[in-house]
Amino acid sequence: MAQVKMQTARTTLKEPAAAAEDLFKQLGGITPKLVMMYASRERDQVALNRAVRERLPKGCRLVGATTGGELDNTGIYYGTVVLGALWGDFDVGVGLGTGLTNDAVSAGGAAIKRACEELGVRQGDLDPRKYVGLVIDDGFRYKKEELLLGILEKNQTLVLVGGGASDDNRDPAKQSAVLHVDGEVATDAVLVALFRTNAPWGALRSHWYIPTNERMTITKVDETHTRALEIDNKPAALRYAEMLGVEPTDLEFGTPKGFAVRPTALKVGREYFIRTPWKPILEDNSILFANLLEEGSELELMKLGDMAGMTKQFFAEELPRRVPNPQAALLFHCGGRMWYAHATGKVPELAETLRSAPTAAGMNVQFEIYSGFHINTTLTVLAFGSN
C-alpha cells in the first residue's frame, strides 16, 4: 500500500522560537519528509524560518510562503502560522527560481530544473502519473503565465497546482510576499516542489460558479495584453455592463452586481477555468484583467452559485471521488473569494466547509495555478490519499 499522510499545527504566538516550539509540540513525534509553512506576512520571516528549521528532523524539507490568511480544518485565520507536515510514500525535489520581474520564463525554468535534478530525473521523462508539481510564486509580481512557460517548456504534460504568496495587508502600496525554501527566504521568486509517488493524488479545483452559455469575444486588447479595450467590437466596459444589465460603475470586483457575481471563464474541454475581470477603467471604458488576454479569444459568462454549499460538496463528494482514501490536502484559496465572502457575510459558512475536507493546510493566495493555467476566484488543491 502506498500513502501520503499529513498532520497540521497552528499557532498565534508571535516570538519566532516560541511559535516554532508550540507548532512542533502539536506535531508530536512524527518524522515528516516535507513541512509546508504558511505564515502571516507581518512576522519576521528570517527568524521564523531559522526557528522552524532548527526543529526539523534531519533530511526534512521546508517549503512555504507568506499569506493573505491561513487555513486548516478548523477555519480561516489571520496573523497565525500553519504547518502541514507530510510523510509517507513519496520523494520530493525542490527548486527556487529568482528574478521573476526581469525574466519570469527563466525563473520558472530554473526552479523545475533544480527540482528534477534533486530527484535524478530529466524534465522530459516526468511521468504525469507519478509526478506532480506544486508551484508558489511571489504573487505581487503578476508573472504567472510567463513562469509557467518556463516550468512547462520541456514537458507540457506535467500537472501543476498552487498559487501566489500573499499578504493580508489590503494597501497595494504596502503589500509584499516572501517564499521559504529550506533555509532561503526570497522575494521576486518562484518555487517548485516536485512530488514523485505511487500513492493516489489529485490536482483539483473548485469554484462556486455555474455556466450560462452566454459568450463574449475579446476583440481588442492593449499593448500589455491585460486590458480588454473592446468586447464583441464594442467598448469593453460598456459591452460587459450591457450583458449584465448594469452600469459600468457597478462592475468592479467585489461589488454586489459586478465581476464577482458574473465573471468570465475559459472553457477547456469540460472544465471552466475562471478568469474574472478585475476592474473597469471608466476613462476609456476598458477592463483590466489579472491574466493575459489574446485578441479573438472567447470567454463564457458565468453566474454565482451557492458559495458555501458548492465548496462543501467539493470537499465531501468530489475530492474523495477523485482521490481514494484522501489523507492530505494542500489548499490554495483565492484572496478574491475571501474578499467577496467578507463583503457578503459568508466567511463563517465558508470556513465551516473546511471541516469536510481531509487533513488540510493552506493559505489565501494572490491568484491561482491549475493545470498550467493562471486562474482566479478559485480554490486549487493538491490532495494525496492511499491505495
Side-chain angles (χ1 to χ4, degrees):
M1 182 179 75
Q3 64 177 354
V4 177
K5 302 189 75 173
M6 182 170 69
Q7 185 166 324
T8 66
R10 177 173 52 84
T11 187
T12 59
L13 298 180
K14 297 296 185 183
E15 197 279 320
E21 195 65 29
D22 184 27
L23 290 165
F24 280 86
K25 183 178 180 180
Q26 294 175 54
L27 292 179
I30 66 169
T31 304
K33 290 184 177 180
L34 171 69
V35 168
M36 300 292 303
M37 180 167 69
Y38 307 100
S40 57
R41 178 65 185 95
E42 77 277 5
R43 293 170 178 267
D44 182 337
Q45 301 297 316
V46 173
L48 179 63
N49 181 288
R50 184 183 305 114
V52 169
R53 284 190 304 117
E54 287 174 350
R55 291 163 175 80
L56 292 176
K58 185 177 180 180
C60 180
R61 310 303 299 273
L62 175 64
V63 168
T66 58
T67 80
E70 304 80 51
L71 285 67
D72 64 19
N73 291 98
T74 66
I76 303 170
Y77 301 93
Y78 298 93
T80 71
V81 181
V82 168
L83 295 189
L86 295 103
W87 73 97
D89 301 298
F90 71 93
D91 300 305
V92 63
V94 180
L96 179 69
T98 58
L100 272 185
T101 301
N102 292 329
D103 191 345
V105 174
S106 294
I112 187 64
K113 182 175 184 290
R114 177 59 179 166
C116 286
E117 288 173 348
E118 291 196 352
L119 292 178
V121 61
R122 294 175 61 252
Q123 289 172 247
D125 294 336
L126 294 172
D127 183 341
R129 295 168 297 181
K130 294 185 177 182
Y131 291 86
V132 60
L134 181 152
V135 182
I136 303 177
D137 66 302
D138 181 339
F140 298 113
R141 308 294 170 158
Y142 302 99
K143 293 290 184 178
K144 282 185 175 60
E145 280 152 318
E146 296 98 317
L147 69 87
L148 287 171
L149 290 174
I151 294 173
L152 295 171
E153 181 180 11
K154 295 183 179 180
N155 191 327
Q156 289 77 46
T157 66
L158 178 64
V159 177
L160 303 173
V161 64
S166 190
D167 189 337
D168 61 13
N169 190 321
R170 303 322 311 162
D171 183 350
K174 297 179 180 178
Q175 291 173 325
S176 63
V178 171
L179 307 183
H180 292 265
V181 175
D182 294 324
E184 294 189 68
V185 177
T187 60
D188 197 19
V190 55
L191 69 85
V192 174
L194 182 64
F195 290 86
R196 176 172 58 203
T197 184
N198 289 316
W201 61 268
L204 304 98
R205 65 96 188 95
S206 173
H207 59 73
W208 47 46
Y209 295 104
I210 301 168
T212 65
N213 207 34
E214 297 178 73
R215 296 180 177 87
M216 61 179 71
T217 301
I218 306 297
T219 47
K220 188 176 182 180
V221 301
D222 76 336
E223 64 279 0
T224 70
H225 288 262
T226 59
R227 276 197 305 134
L229 301 179
E230 293 183 0
I231 292 175
D232 297 335
N233 296 308
K234 299 179 180 179
L238 298 183
R239 174 56 177 155
Y240 208 115
E242 177 186 38
M243 295 184 75
L244 269 58
V246 301
E247 296 298 319
T249 51
D250 296 325
L251 289 175
E252 185 157 353
F253 191 94
T255 56
K257 301 177 182 178
F259 296 138
V261 182
R262 302 292 306 278
T264 50
L266 178 67
K267 187 177 182 182
V268 181
R270 296 182 178 181
E271 295 245 33
Y272 290 89
F273 293 168
I274 306 298
R275 295 160 79 88
T276 307
W278 195 350
K279 60 179 67 177
I281 309 300
L282 300 178
E283 290 78 7
D284 61 1
N285 285 311
S286 63
I287 296 175
L288 178 65
F289 280 70
N291 54 275
L292 296 178
L293 299 169
E294 183 178 354
E295 289 185 358
S297 59
E298 185 178 75
L299 300 174
E300 182 155 341
L301 195 62
M302 309 289 280
K303 66 179 181 180
L304 186 67
D306 179 352
M307 296 165 61
M310 293 175 76
T311 305
K312 182 176 181 179
Q313 184 178 36
F314 166 75
F315 283 131
E317 300 178 18
E318 182 179 349
L319 194 156
R321 186 169 62 247
R322 298 270 301 274
V323 181
N325 305 309
Q327 306 288 315
L330 301 174
L331 311 180
F332 303 91
H333 185 246
C334 177
R337 280 167 59 101
M338 283 304 301
W339 184 7
Y340 193 69
H342 277 292
T344 54
K346 295 289 187 178
V347 173
E349 293 177 50
L350 185 60
E352 183 66 22
T353 68
L354 294 168
R355 298 185 182 275
S356 300
T359 303
M363 62 177 181
N364 292 331
V365 297
Q366 183 73 359
F367 303 110
E368 304 83 66
I369 288 169
Y370 178 73
S371 291
F373 287 87
H374 170 197
I375 57 177
N376 54 45
T377 325
T378 301
L379 167 68
T380 63
V381 178
L382 178 56
F384 295 99
S386 65
N387 56 20

